[in-house]
Amino acid sequence: MRLHRPRHLVPLGAALALLLSGCGGATEKAPPGQATASAKTPKTPEAPKTSAPDSGRPWEPDDAMQRAERALDAYDEDGSTAQRADSGSAFLADGVRRTFRATGKRWYRLDLTCDTSGVREVTLTLTRGSAEQAYGIGCGDPEADQFNIPPGAPFTARVDAVRTGTGLVRWRLNTVAREDVDGCDDDIDGCGG
């Protein structure tokens, strides 16, 4: 293997003399009317560990997964008796079609969030038997959307594939005690007012 060397080498003695004389940090002379460029540039603030959706930075799956986890975790300390029954994620381009068993006596709570670039909202459709409800899910929200489902027959959660943007959908299915059901008792059958 041949090493490539730069064409313009400064002799070691000359480089050392230049550094010791303090001339290494000189500024360049700018044409009239323009500011001079300093050899020392100011530090820019360190970029955040995860980029916010649509912040101008490229969408990264790992960052999106972290944000989605934080949105789902927003309810972990609510004092409820929630127990995880299932969880998962899918890319928007694949969509979600998942059927969950809803056996037992405890209610089910589906927590769902999306993190995207170029998509502001996805539609979640919940079905059980002939009952069906559709909900708009805002992507990038700091808290996941929650849906209550009473125990009984299996139910299906569907988010249609979206090919016009990039992103993911993340969900958790929890069981909760009846007294911890907040809001509508059955988000599939509907709670009209």
Side-chain angles (χ1 to χ4, degrees), residues 140-157:
D141 291 346
E143 295 180 339
D145 289 271
Q146 295 184 314
F147 304 92
N148 297 316
I149 298 106
F155 69 94
T156 300

Side-chain angles (χ1 to χ4, degrees), residues 3 6 13 22 33 35-36 39 47-48 51 60 68 77 105 115 130 140 167-168 176 182 193:
L3 294 176
T36 59
S51 59
E60 295 288 336
E77 296 178 15
K105 294 184 180 185
D115 189 280
S130 62
L168 60 80
V176 293
D182 189 26

Side-chain angles (χ1 to χ4, degrees), residues 108-182:
Y108 288 81
R109 190 185 74 207
L110 179 66
D111 300 346
L112 190 130
T113 188
C114 52
D115 189 280
T116 63
S117 176
V119 178
R120 291 184 175 265
E121 184 178 274
V122 297
T123 301
L124 167 68
T125 304
L126 296 171
T127 57
R128 175 185 263 165
S130 62
E132 181 175 285
Q133 290 290 329
Y135 297 94
I137 307 295
C139 296
D141 291 346
E143 295 180 339
D145 289 271
Q146 295 184 314
F147 304 92
N148 297 316
I149 298 106
F155 69 94
T156 300
R158 185 182 80 238
V159 176
D160 291 331
V162 178
R163 305 210 191 282
T164 58
T166 304
L168 60 80
V169 175
R170 183 120 178 92
W171 71 86
R172 284 186 190 156
L173 181 66
N174 298 299
T175 62
V176 293
R178 174 67 182 97
E179 60 271 13
D180 288 332
V181 173
D182 189 26

Side-chain angles (χ1 to χ4, degrees), residues 66-75 113 141-145:
Q66 290 177 20
R67 288 188 299 268
E69 284 294 321
R70 283 194 299 269
L72 291 170
D73 288 344
Y75 296 107
T113 188
D141 291 346
E143 295 180 339
D145 289 271

